[in-house]
Amino acid sequence: MSRLARLAWLLTALAAAGPVAAQRQAPVDRIVAIVNKEVITAGELRERVELAERELRRRNTPLPERVLLERQIVERLVLEKVQLQLAGESGIRIDEQQLDRALARVAENNKLTPAEFRQALERDNIPYNAFREDVRQQIALQRLREREVDSKIEVSETEIDLFLEEHQTGGPERVEYNVSHILVRLPDQASPERIEQARARAQKAREELRSGGDFARVAAVYSDAADALQGGQMGWRERSRMPDLFANALQAMKPGEVSEVLRSPAGFHLLKLEDRRGSVAGGPSVMQTHARHILIRTSEIVSEADAERRLRDLRERVVTGGADFAELARLHSGDASASRGGDLGWVFPGDTVPEFERAMDALAPKQVSPPVKSPFGWHLIQVLERRTGALPPERLRLGARQALRERKSEEAYQEWLRQLRDRAYVEIRLEEK
């Protein structure tokens, strides 16, 4: 993917979660919606629609009629406003240090340094300070979800017992589905007429898909989900971590098929099974890795380049000079494991951050990695040995709890959004010219 393509993808991701920078550049103009005590202007809507069209073109998705896209996007703007208002009222604040770290990760994901990323934004006429505030708002919205939704999800011991019993019978917990999704959201306590309207809308979307319609275009027109402008792509999901409604429908589908219209408390859903992988699991055995590492943390004194260079020097001493890895870890590592020679013990899948785990999994026993970047700093990793064995009971229960929380999370989030939207005062003036 080219640099401009990566930037386009990033900006569209921002559009799905928070207002884009260009909105704040729009002059005061016609009001297209009132959300509690705030307004959405035609300029804001125009900028967001143009951004959406740019992303759809990048994905080679046929553009829907502009009036249809406007209706979808104004509703997304309404939902953003009510969330940001609640975040502000709740006292959620993102300090400068947290924001700087987030921006550094955004730049790294685009394979740019922070300075290069800032220059790239400015070349695209996107003011850096405004972009910075957009990222701040995204983080605030994520914190709001964590506090209002994720922290309130409960998983009982009985649920864990039932989950483990189901998957100990040879169930398909290792099967993964690559899924695209359309959601037609329903308001809380919807009237029978409103329910039928939503059902008819979902059915119309399905008919377009069955007639050969492009899924990404149909999602952009009909879906109320945050990923609608990304083609409704949910990506790869483990069956055990999906809502039962989705998992049961997908189990009977073939790649390329579209589901019947499904009903949940949030509204009506359509699923397209893009692909599947994996097989029925033969048991709860996992690969475990005995590893050690050296961590160099970055700071105002130690730059990214300095940390990487230091670790390259240490690696050279181990690989070609025969230096003892454990001794170097005791002398140089900034991790709590330094006193143990960097020894992390037996590591299970999911114990470490993804960047560390990917690098560790790529190593053969006794091999030393090149410097690896993670949110904690820079690492040098050595794999000592590997083994395959059964997960201990406490690990099994922890994994079951996490799977059940993920299964409940999206449903709970959609229900919370629906209630939040219904409690707000919203007046749409899109038809006024």
Side-chain angles (χ1 to χ4, degrees):
M1 185 184 296
S2 69
R3 177 179 298 180
L4 290 178
R6 286 193 296 269
L7 288 174
W9 177 90
L10 171 65
L11 292 175
T12 303
L14 292 176
V20 296
Q23 293 176 5
R24 285 186 284 273
Q25 303 301 310
V28 176
D29 57 6
R30 183 173 64 86
I31 294 173
V32 297
I34 300 173
V35 185
N36 293 322
K37 296 181 180 180
E38 296 185 48
V39 300
I40 298 170
T41 68
E44 290 179 89
L45 178 60
R46 181 177 59 254
E47 295 289 350
R48 184 64 66 86
V49 169
E50 290 173 356
L51 182 63
E53 290 177 337
R54 186 189 318 163
E55 171 62 9
L56 291 171
R57 288 191 191 98
R58 187 185 71 79
R59 292 174 174 271
N60 296 318
T61 300
L63 294 182
E65 295 179 32
R66 192 175 178 98
V67 65
L68 298 176
L69 195 56
E70 285 180 347
R71 289 173 187 166
Q72 286 293 89
I73 291 179
V74 77
E75 189 59 38
R76 291 187 180 90
L77 285 167
V78 167
L79 208 52
E80 290 167 5
K81 289 282 188 187
V82 295
Q83 291 178 84
L84 288 170
Q85 288 166 3
L86 179 58
E89 293 165 2
S90 303
I92 294 176
R93 301 287 184 271
I94 308 303
D95 63 39
E96 297 303 308
Q97 188 176 17
Q98 292 171 320
L99 186 55
D100 287 340
R101 288 198 297 267
L103 287 164
R105 288 196 297 272
V106 171
E108 183 182 353
N109 290 339
N110 283 272
K111 302 189 185 304
L112 300 170
T113 66
E116 290 171 340
F117 185 69
R118 181 169 184 165
Q119 292 169 2
L121 289 173
E122 291 171 350
R123 283 196 300 271
D124 278 5
N125 297 317
I126 300 172
Y128 179 76
N129 289 337
F131 181 88
R132 182 181 175 88
E133 291 309 306
D134 289 326
V135 175
R136 191 195 302 272
Q137 289 181 348
Q138 289 180 78
I139 300 171
L141 291 179
Q142 181 59 37
R143 296 281 174 82
L144 182 67
R145 173 175 175 168
E146 290 169 356
R147 193 183 71 180
E148 297 293 326
V149 181
D150 295 344
S151 67
K152 298 177 182 179
I153 294 175
E154 296 182 355
V155 177
S156 69
E157 296 301 314
T158 300
E159 287 178 298
I160 294 174
D161 291 339
L162 291 173
F163 181 94
L164 291 175
E165 181 180 347
E166 174 189 349
H167 290 84
Q168 284 171 355
T169 61
E173 71 272 16
R174 294 287 181 85
V175 174
E176 292 181 300
Y177 301 111
N178 185 8
V179 184
S180 296
H181 170 233
I182 290 172
L183 164 67
V184 179
R185 186 178 284 114
L186 272 174
D188 196 24
Q189 297 180 343
S191 66
E193 293 79 9
R194 182 67 184 85
I195 292 172
E196 284 308 309
Q197 288 174 2
R199 189 193 308 275
R201 182 175 174 83
Q203 190 61 45
K204 184 178 179 182
R206 185 173 186 273
E207 289 170 2
E208 289 191 23
L209 293 170
R210 288 177 62 86
S211 299
D214 181 88
F215 194 97
R217 179 189 178 281
V218 175
V221 172
Y222 291 95
S223 182
D224 297 317
D227 57 15
L229 297 179
Q230 289 76 54
Q233 295 175 356
M234 295 175 61
W236 287 98
R237 301 288 182 93
E238 286 187 23
R239 183 188 187 281
S240 62
R241 296 172 185 265
M242 302 178 73
D244 287 338
L245 177 69
F246 289 7
N248 293 337
L250 291 165
Q251 187 173 0
M253 291 168 59
K254 298 177 182 178
E257 288 185 341
V258 176
S259 71
E260 299 290 336
V261 174
L262 307 174
R263 172 74 189 274
S264 81
F268 294 98
H269 308 261
L270 289 171
L271 304 176
K272 181 180 179 182
L273 178 58
E274 305 288 353
D275 199 3
R276 74 169 74 214
R277 65 188 180 193
S279 59
V280 174
S285 295
V286 296
M287 181 68 72
Q288 303 163 35
T289 303
H290 186 195
R292 57 188 178 186
H293 78 136
I294 298 170
L295 170 65
I296 303 295
R297 300 182 187 274
T298 57
S299 64
E300 294 181 358
I301 300 174
V302 180
S303 68
E304 300 280 346
D306 289 339
E308 185 177 9
R309 178 180 47 77
R310 286 174 59 184
L311 287 179
R312 289 191 185 281
D313 291 343
L314 293 176
R315 183 179 189 277
E316 186 70 16
R317 291 170 61 181
V318 172
V319 173
T320 64
D324 183 69
F325 190 103
E327 185 60 30
L328 293 179
R330 293 187 185 94
L331 294 173
H332 299 280
S333 182
D335 188 59
S337 63
S339 62
R340 304 189 300 274
D343 197 331
L344 297 172
W346 286 100
V347 179
F348 290 83
D351 279 355
T352 61
V353 294
E355 299 90 339
F356 189 101
E357 184 167 305
R358 283 194 298 268
M360 180 181 70
D361 289 348
L363 297 173
K366 308 303 180 184
Q367 189 176 6
V368 179
S369 73
V372 175
K373 178 76 166 57
S374 87
F376 300 101
W378 286 84
H379 309 258
L380 210 59
I381 307 168
Q382 184 179 46
V383 168
L384 299 176
E385 54 184 324
R386 285 196 171 93
R387 69 185 183 193
T388 300
L391 284 169
E394 63 274 13
R395 288 273 180 169
L396 285 172
R397 297 191 72 81
L398 177 61
R401 184 181 298 278
Q402 291 172 338
L404 288 166
R405 284 183 61 84
E406 288 183 30
R407 181 184 291 183
K408 293 181 175 185
S409 176
E410 188 59 29
E411 289 180 315
Y413 178 57
Q414 292 299 334
E415 178 63 18
W416 175 77
L417 283 179
R418 182 174 72 165
Q419 294 176 5
L420 189 64
R421 169 66 169 83
D422 290 344
R423 289 197 301 266
Y425 171 77
V426 178
E427 182 181 338
I428 305 294
R429 299 179 178 180
L430 195 56
E431 302 303 325
E432 298 177 12
K433 299 294 182 182

